[in-house]
PDB file of all heavy atoms in Angstrom:
ATOM      1  N   GLY A  69      33.817  28.919  22.668  1.00 93.00           N
ATOM      2  CA  GLY A  69      35.052  28.904  21.903  1.00 93.00           C
ATOM      3  C   GLY A  69      35.814  30.217  21.913  1.00 93.00           C
ATOM      4  O   GLY A  69      36.572  30.513  20.982  1.00 93.00           O
ATOM      5  N   LEU A  70      35.678  31.013  22.985  1.00 94.00           N
ATOM      6  CA  LEU A  70      36.315  32.327  23.045  1.00 94.00           C
ATOM      7  C   LEU A  70      37.512  32.392  23.989  1.00 94.00           C
ATOM      8  O   LEU A  70      38.201  33.416  24.031  1.00 94.00           O
ATOM      9  CB  LEU A  70      35.278  33.377  23.485  1.00 94.00           C
ATOM     10  CG  LEU A  70      34.056  33.541  22.594  1.00 94.00           C
ATOM     11  CD1 LEU A  70      33.075  34.508  23.231  1.00 94.00           C
ATOM     12  CD2 LEU A  70      34.468  34.014  21.215  1.00 94.00           C
ATOM     13  N   TYR A  71      37.765  31.350  24.723  1.00 92.00           N
ATOM     14  CA  TYR A  71      38.760  31.397  25.790  1.00 92.00           C
ATOM     15  C   TYR A  71      40.140  31.828  25.286  1.00 92.00           C
ATOM     16  O   TYR A  71      40.735  32.769  25.801  1.00 92.00           O
ATOM     17  CB  TYR A  71      38.848  30.040  26.503  1.00 92.00           C
ATOM     18  CG  TYR A  71      39.679  30.077  27.752  1.00 92.00           C
ATOM     19  CD1 TYR A  71      39.141  30.546  28.942  1.00 92.00           C
ATOM     20  CD2 TYR A  71      41.010  29.662  27.754  1.00 92.00           C
ATOM     21  CE1 TYR A  71      39.893  30.595  30.108  1.00 92.00           C
ATOM     22  CE2 TYR A  71      41.770  29.708  28.906  1.00 92.00           C
ATOM     23  CZ  TYR A  71      41.208  30.168  30.073  1.00 92.00           C
ATOM     24  OH  TYR A  71      41.966  30.224  31.220  1.00 92.00           O
ATOM     25  N   ARG A  72      40.661  31.152  24.289  1.00 92.00           N
ATOM     26  CA  ARG A  72      42.000  31.486  23.779  1.00 92.00           C
ATOM     27  C   ARG A  72      42.027  32.864  23.132  1.00 92.00           C
ATOM     28  O   ARG A  72      43.009  33.601  23.259  1.00 92.00           O
ATOM     29  CB  ARG A  72      42.474  30.420  22.791  1.00 92.00           C
ATOM     30  CG  ARG A  72      42.765  29.100  23.451  1.00 92.00           C
ATOM     31  CD  ARG A  72      43.597  28.200  22.535  1.00 92.00           C
ATOM     32  NE  ARG A  72      43.612  26.825  22.995  1.00 92.00           N
ATOM     33  CZ  ARG A  72      44.320  26.370  24.016  1.00 92.00           C
ATOM     34  NH1 ARG A  72      45.031  27.197  24.718  1.00 92.00           N
ATOM     35  NH2 ARG A  72      44.287  25.105  24.346  1.00 92.00           N
ATOM     36  N   ASP A  73      40.951  33.223  22.441  1.00 92.00           N
ATOM     37  CA  ASP A  73      40.888  34.540  21.803  1.00 92.00           C
ATOM     38  C   ASP A  73      40.928  35.657  22.833  1.00 92.00           C
ATOM     39  O   ASP A  73      41.535  36.702  22.592  1.00 92.00           O
ATOM     40  CB  ASP A  73      39.617  34.677  20.958  1.00 92.00           C
ATOM     41  CG  ASP A  73      39.669  33.801  19.701  1.00 92.00           C
ATOM     42  OD1 ASP A  73      40.776  33.391  19.310  1.00 92.00           O
ATOM     43  OD2 ASP A  73      38.605  33.538  19.123  1.00 92.00           O
ATOM     44  N   LEU A  74      40.279  35.461  23.969  1.00 92.00           N
ATOM     45  CA  LEU A  74      40.317  36.478  25.023  1.00 92.00           C
ATOM     46  C   LEU A  74      41.750  36.687  25.507  1.00 92.00           C
ATOM     47  O   LEU A  74      42.157  37.809  25.798  1.00 92.00           O
ATOM     48  CB  LEU A  74      39.419  36.075  26.198  1.00 92.00           C
ATOM     49  CG  LEU A  74      37.925  36.228  25.966  1.00 92.00           C
ATOM     50  CD1 LEU A  74      37.143  35.490  27.040  1.00 92.00           C
ATOM     51  CD2 LEU A  74      37.536  37.692  25.931  1.00 92.00           C
ATOM     52  N   GLU A  75      42.486  35.609  25.566  1.00 88.00           N
ATOM     53  CA  GLU A  75      43.864  35.673  26.037  1.00 88.00           C
ATOM     54  C   GLU A  75      44.767  36.433  25.066  1.00 88.00           C
ATOM     55  O   GLU A  75      45.640  37.191  25.473  1.00 88.00           O
ATOM     56  CB  GLU A  75      44.394  34.250  26.233  1.00 88.00           C
ATOM     57  CG  GLU A  75      45.630  34.163  27.074  1.00 88.00           C
ATOM     58  CD  GLU A  75      45.834  32.744  27.557  1.00 88.00           C
ATOM     59  OE1 GLU A  75      46.188  31.887  26.733  1.00 88.00           O
ATOM     60  OE2 GLU A  75      45.627  32.504  28.762  1.00 88.00           O
ATOM     61  N   THR A  76      44.535  36.272  23.779  1.00 91.00           N
ATOM     62  CA  THR A  76      45.405  36.900  22.787  1.00 91.00           C
ATOM     63  C   THR A  76      44.930  38.289  22.360  1.00 91.00           C
ATOM     64  O   THR A  76      45.734  39.084  21.872  1.00 91.00           O
ATOM     65  CB  THR A  76      45.537  36.007  21.532  1.00 91.00           C
ATOM     66  OG1 THR A  76      44.241  35.782  20.982  1.00 91.00           O
ATOM     67  CG2 THR A  76      46.190  34.683  21.877  1.00 91.00           C
ATOM     68  N   SER A  77      43.663  38.605  22.552  1.00 92.00           N
ATOM     69  CA  SER A  77      43.116  39.871  22.061  1.00 92.00           C
ATOM     70  C   SER A  77      43.161  41.012  23.069  1.00 92.00           C
ATOM     71  O   SER A  77      42.981  42.166  22.682  1.00 92.00           O
ATOM     72  CB  SER A  77      41.659  39.672  21.621  1.00 92.00           C
ATOM     73  OG  SER A  77      41.590  38.739  20.569  1.00 92.00           O
ATOM     74  N   PHE A  78      43.379  40.712  24.344  1.00 93.00           N
ATOM     75  CA  PHE A  78      43.317  41.748  25.373  1.00 93.00           C
ATOM     76  C   PHE A  78      44.595  41.755  26.203  1.00 93.00           C
ATOM     77  O   PHE A  78      45.416  40.848  26.113  1.00 93.00           O
ATOM     78  CB  PHE A  78      42.058  41.566  26.228  1.00 93.00           C
ATOM     79  CG  PHE A  78      40.820  41.699  25.387  1.00 93.00           C
ATOM     80  CD1 PHE A  78      40.187  40.587  24.862  1.00 93.00           C
ATOM     81  CD2 PHE A  78      40.317  42.956  25.072  1.00 93.00           C
ATOM     82  CE1 PHE A  78      39.078  40.713  24.042  1.00 93.00           C
ATOM     83  CE2 PHE A  78      39.209  43.092  24.246  1.00 93.00           C
ATOM     84  CZ  PHE A  78      38.586  41.970  23.739  1.00 93.00           C
ATOM     85  N   ASP A  79      44.744  42.801  27.015  1.00 89.00           N
ATOM     86  CA  ASP A  79      45.998  43.010  27.728  1.00 89.00           C
ATOM     87  C   ASP A  79      46.304  41.900  28.730  1.00 89.00           C
ATOM     88  O   ASP A  79      47.409  41.374  28.744  1.00 89.00           O
ATOM     89  CB  ASP A  79      45.985  44.388  28.399  1.00 89.00           C
ATOM     90  CG  ASP A  79      45.917  45.479  27.339  1.00 89.00           C
ATOM     91  OD1 ASP A  79      46.933  45.674  26.648  1.00 89.00           O
ATOM     92  OD2 ASP A  79      44.852  46.097  27.183  1.00 89.00           O
ATOM     93  N   ARG A  80      45.338  41.581  29.572  1.00 91.00           N
ATOM     94  CA  ARG A  80      45.521  40.497  30.545  1.00 91.00           C
ATOM     95  C   ARG A  80      44.189  39.796  30.747  1.00 91.00           C
ATOM     96  O   ARG A  80      43.136  40.405  30.604  1.00 91.00           O
ATOM     97  CB  ARG A  80      46.008  41.046  31.884  1.00 91.00           C
ATOM     98  CG  ARG A  80      47.437  41.588  31.791  1.00 91.00           C
ATOM     99  CD  ARG A  80      47.846  42.328  33.014  1.00 91.00           C
ATOM    100  NE  ARG A  80      48.177  41.395  34.086  1.00 91.00           N
ATOM    101  CZ  ARG A  80      48.430  41.774  35.322  1.00 91.00           C
ATOM    102  NH1 ARG A  80      48.377  43.031  35.666  1.00 91.00           N
ATOM    103  NH2 ARG A  80      48.730  40.889  36.242  1.00 91.00           N
ATOM    104  N   LYS A  81      44.267  38.531  31.098  1.00 93.00           N
ATOM    105  CA  LYS A  81      43.057  37.757  31.367  1.00 93.00           C
ATOM    106  C   LYS A  81      43.243  37.027  32.687  1.00 93.00           C
ATOM    107  O   LYS A  81      44.270  36.391  32.910  1.00 93.00           O
ATOM    108  CB  LYS A  81      42.805  36.758  30.239  1.00 93.00           C
ATOM    109  CG  LYS A  81      41.542  35.925  30.443  1.00 93.00           C
ATOM    110  CD  LYS A  81      41.423  34.846  29.411  1.00 93.00           C
ATOM    111  CE  LYS A  81      42.402  33.805  29.748  1.00 93.00           C
ATOM    112  NZ  LYS A  81      42.486  32.549  29.285  1.00 93.00           N
TER     113      LYS A  81
END
Side-chain angles (χ1 to χ4, degrees):
L70 300 175
Y71 190 81
R72 291 196 194 284
D73 290 341
L74 285 166
E75 197 163 72
T76 58
S77 299
F78 298 95
D79 296 289
R80 292 170 77 188
K81 181 187 74 165

